[in-house]
mmCIF file with all atom_site columns, all heavy atoms in Angstrom:
data_model
loop_
_atom_site.group_PDB
_atom_site.id
_atom_site.type_symbol
_atom_site.label_atom_id
_atom_site.label_alt_id
_atom_site.label_comp_id
_atom_site.label_asym_id
_atom_site.label_entity_id
_atom_site.label_seq_id
_atom_site.pdbx_PDB_ins_code
_atom_site.Cartn_x
_atom_site.Cartn_y
_atom_site.Cartn_z
_atom_site.occupancy
_atom_site.B_iso_or_equiv
_atom_site.pdbx_formal_charge
_atom_site.auth_seq_id
_atom_site.auth_comp_id
_atom_site.auth_asym_id
_atom_site.auth_atom_id
_atom_site.pdbx_PDB_model_num
ATOM 1  N N   . ALA A 1 43 ? 8.150  8.090  29.201 1.00 93.00 ? 43 ALA A N   1
ATOM 2  C CA  . ALA A 1 43 ? 9.180  8.321  28.188 1.00 93.00 ? 43 ALA A CA  1
ATOM 3  C C   . ALA A 1 43 ? 9.767  7.005  27.697 1.00 93.00 ? 43 ALA A C   1
ATOM 4  O O   . ALA A 1 43 ? 10.012 6.828  26.496 1.00 93.00 ? 43 ALA A O   1
ATOM 5  C CB  . ALA A 1 43 ? 10.282 9.208  28.762 1.00 93.00 ? 43 ALA A CB  1
ATOM 6  N N   . GLU A 1 44 ? 9.976  6.074  28.608 1.00 93.00 ? 44 GLU A N   1
ATOM 7  C CA  . GLU A 1 44 ? 10.565 4.786  28.234 1.00 93.00 ? 44 GLU A CA  1
ATOM 8  C C   . GLU A 1 44 ? 9.663  4.019  27.275 1.00 93.00 ? 44 GLU A C   1
ATOM 9  O O   . GLU A 1 44 ? 10.117 3.492  26.253 1.00 93.00 ? 44 GLU A O   1
ATOM 10 C CB  . GLU A 1 44 ? 10.829 3.950  29.483 1.00 93.00 ? 44 GLU A CB  1
ATOM 11 C CG  . GLU A 1 44 ? 11.463 2.596  29.200 1.00 93.00 ? 44 GLU A CG  1
ATOM 12 C CD  . GLU A 1 44 ? 11.713 1.790  30.457 1.00 93.00 ? 44 GLU A CD  1
ATOM 13 O OE1 . GLU A 1 44 ? 11.391 2.276  31.571 1.00 93.00 ? 44 GLU A OE1 1
ATOM 14 O OE2 . GLU A 1 44 ? 12.238 0.668  30.343 1.00 93.00 ? 44 GLU A OE2 1
ATOM 15 N N   . LYS A 1 45 ? 8.373  3.962  27.595 1.00 95.00 ? 45 LYS A N   1
ATOM 16 C CA  . LYS A 1 45 ? 7.435  3.230  26.745 1.00 95.00 ? 45 LYS A CA  1
ATOM 17 C C   . LYS A 1 45 ? 7.230  3.929  25.407 1.00 95.00 ? 45 LYS A C   1
ATOM 18 O O   . LYS A 1 45 ? 7.113  3.283  24.359 1.00 95.00 ? 45 LYS A O   1
ATOM 19 C CB  . LYS A 1 45 ? 6.103  3.042  27.469 1.00 95.00 ? 45 LYS A CB  1
ATOM 20 C CG  . LYS A 1 45 ? 6.175  2.107  28.662 1.00 95.00 ? 45 LYS A CG  1
ATOM 21 C CD  . LYS A 1 45 ? 4.817  1.978  29.331 1.00 95.00 ? 45 LYS A CD  1
ATOM 22 C CE  . LYS A 1 45 ? 4.869  1.044  30.526 1.00 95.00 ? 45 LYS A CE  1
ATOM 23 N NZ  . LYS A 1 45 ? 3.547  0.921  31.196 1.00 95.00 ? 45 LYS A NZ  1
ATOM 24 N N   . VAL A 1 46 ? 7.178  5.266  25.443 1.00 94.00 ? 46 VAL A N   1
ATOM 25 C CA  . VAL A 1 46 ? 7.011  6.021  24.199 1.00 94.00 ? 46 VAL A CA  1
ATOM 26 C C   . VAL A 1 46 ? 8.229  5.824  23.300 1.00 94.00 ? 46 VAL A C   1
ATOM 27 O O   . VAL A 1 46 ? 8.097  5.608  22.089 1.00 94.00 ? 46 VAL A O   1
ATOM 28 C CB  . VAL A 1 46 ? 6.781  7.516  24.506 1.00 94.00 ? 46 VAL A CB  1
ATOM 29 C CG1 . VAL A 1 46 ? 6.955  8.354  23.248 1.00 94.00 ? 46 VAL A CG1 1
ATOM 30 C CG2 . VAL A 1 46 ? 5.378  7.729  25.069 1.00 94.00 ? 46 VAL A CG2 1
ATOM 31 N N   . ASP A 1 47 ? 9.415  5.886  23.870 1.00 93.00 ? 47 ASP A N   1
ATOM 32 C CA  . ASP A 1 47 ? 10.634 5.728  23.079 1.00 93.00 ? 47 ASP A CA  1
ATOM 33 C C   . ASP A 1 47 ? 10.678 4.368  22.392 1.00 93.00 ? 47 ASP A C   1
ATOM 34 O O   . ASP A 1 47 ? 11.221 4.236  21.294 1.00 93.00 ? 47 ASP A O   1
ATOM 35 C CB  . ASP A 1 47 ? 11.867 5.904  23.961 1.00 93.00 ? 47 ASP A CB  1
ATOM 36 C CG  . ASP A 1 47 ? 12.093 7.358  24.367 1.00 93.00 ? 47 ASP A CG  1
ATOM 37 O OD1 . ASP A 1 47 ? 11.463 8.241  23.757 1.00 93.00 ? 47 ASP A OD1 1
ATOM 38 O OD2 . ASP A 1 47 ? 12.893 7.598  25.284 1.00 93.00 ? 47 ASP A OD2 1
ATOM 39 N N   . ALA A 1 48 ? 10.092 3.363  23.021 1.00 94.00 ? 48 ALA A N   1
ATOM 40 C CA  . ALA A 1 48 ? 10.092 2.020  22.440 1.00 94.00 ? 48 ALA A CA  1
ATOM 41 C C   . ALA A 1 48 ? 9.307  1.971  21.129 1.00 94.00 ? 48 ALA A C   1
ATOM 42 O O   . ALA A 1 48 ? 9.538  1.084  20.298 1.00 94.00 ? 48 ALA A O   1
ATOM 43 C CB  . ALA A 1 48 ? 9.522  1.017  23.433 1.00 94.00 ? 48 ALA A CB  1
ATOM 44 N N   . LEU A 1 49 ? 8.401  2.933  20.926 1.00 95.00 ? 49 LEU A N   1
ATOM 45 C CA  . LEU A 1 49 ? 7.598  2.963  19.710 1.00 95.00 ? 49 LEU A CA  1
ATOM 46 C C   . LEU A 1 49 ? 8.359  3.535  18.515 1.00 95.00 ? 49 LEU A C   1
ATOM 47 O O   . LEU A 1 49 ? 7.876  3.465  17.379 1.00 95.00 ? 49 LEU A O   1
ATOM 48 C CB  . LEU A 1 49 ? 6.318  3.768  19.941 1.00 95.00 ? 49 LEU A CB  1
ATOM 49 C CG  . LEU A 1 49 ? 5.339  3.193  20.973 1.00 95.00 ? 49 LEU A CG  1
ATOM 50 C CD1 . LEU A 1 49 ? 4.169  4.142  21.179 1.00 95.00 ? 49 LEU A CD1 1
ATOM 51 C CD2 . LEU A 1 49 ? 4.840  1.817  20.538 1.00 95.00 ? 49 LEU A CD2 1
ATOM 52 N N   . GLN A 1 50 ? 9.535  4.082  18.763 1.00 94.00 ? 50 GLN A N   1
ATOM 53 C CA  . GLN A 1 50 ? 10.322 4.624  17.657 1.00 94.00 ? 50 GLN A CA  1
ATOM 54 C C   . GLN A 1 50 ? 10.705 3.558  16.647 1.00 94.00 ? 50 GLN A C   1
ATOM 55 O O   . GLN A 1 50 ? 10.977 3.870  15.482 1.00 94.00 ? 50 GLN A O   1
ATOM 56 C CB  . GLN A 1 50 ? 11.571 5.320  18.201 1.00 94.00 ? 50 GLN A CB  1
ATOM 57 C CG  . GLN A 1 50 ? 11.274 6.601  18.956 1.00 94.00 ? 50 GLN A CG  1
ATOM 58 C CD  . GLN A 1 50 ? 12.527 7.263  19.511 1.00 94.00 ? 50 GLN A CD  1
ATOM 59 O OE1 . GLN A 1 50 ? 13.630 6.740  19.374 1.00 94.00 ? 50 GLN A OE1 1
ATOM 60 N NE2 . GLN A 1 50 ? 12.356 8.411  20.138 1.00 94.00 ? 50 GLN A NE2 1
ATOM 61 N N   . GLN A 1 51 ? 10.688 2.296  17.077 1.00 94.00 ? 51 GLN A N   1
ATOM 62 C CA  . GLN A 1 51 ? 11.001 1.208  16.156 1.00 94.00 ? 51 GLN A CA  1
ATOM 63 C C   . GLN A 1 51 ? 9.997  1.120  15.007 1.00 94.00 ? 51 GLN A C   1
ATOM 64 O O   . GLN A 1 51 ? 10.283 0.531  13.962 1.00 94.00 ? 51 GLN A O   1
ATOM 65 C CB  . GLN A 1 51 ? 11.028 -0.124 16.907 1.00 94.00 ? 51 GLN A CB  1
ATOM 66 C CG  . GLN A 1 51 ? 9.687  -0.514 17.512 1.00 94.00 ? 51 GLN A CG  1
ATOM 67 C CD  . GLN A 1 51 ? 9.742  -1.813 18.286 1.00 94.00 ? 51 GLN A CD  1
ATOM 68 O OE1 . GLN A 1 51 ? 10.501 -2.705 17.934 1.00 94.00 ? 51 GLN A OE1 1
ATOM 69 N NE2 . GLN A 1 51 ? 8.943  -1.927 19.336 1.00 94.00 ? 51 GLN A NE2 1
#
Side-chain angles (χ1 to χ4, degrees):
E44 181 180 0
K45 292 180 180 179
V46 166
D47 287 346
L49 296 176
Q50 291 179 357
Q51 63 182 327

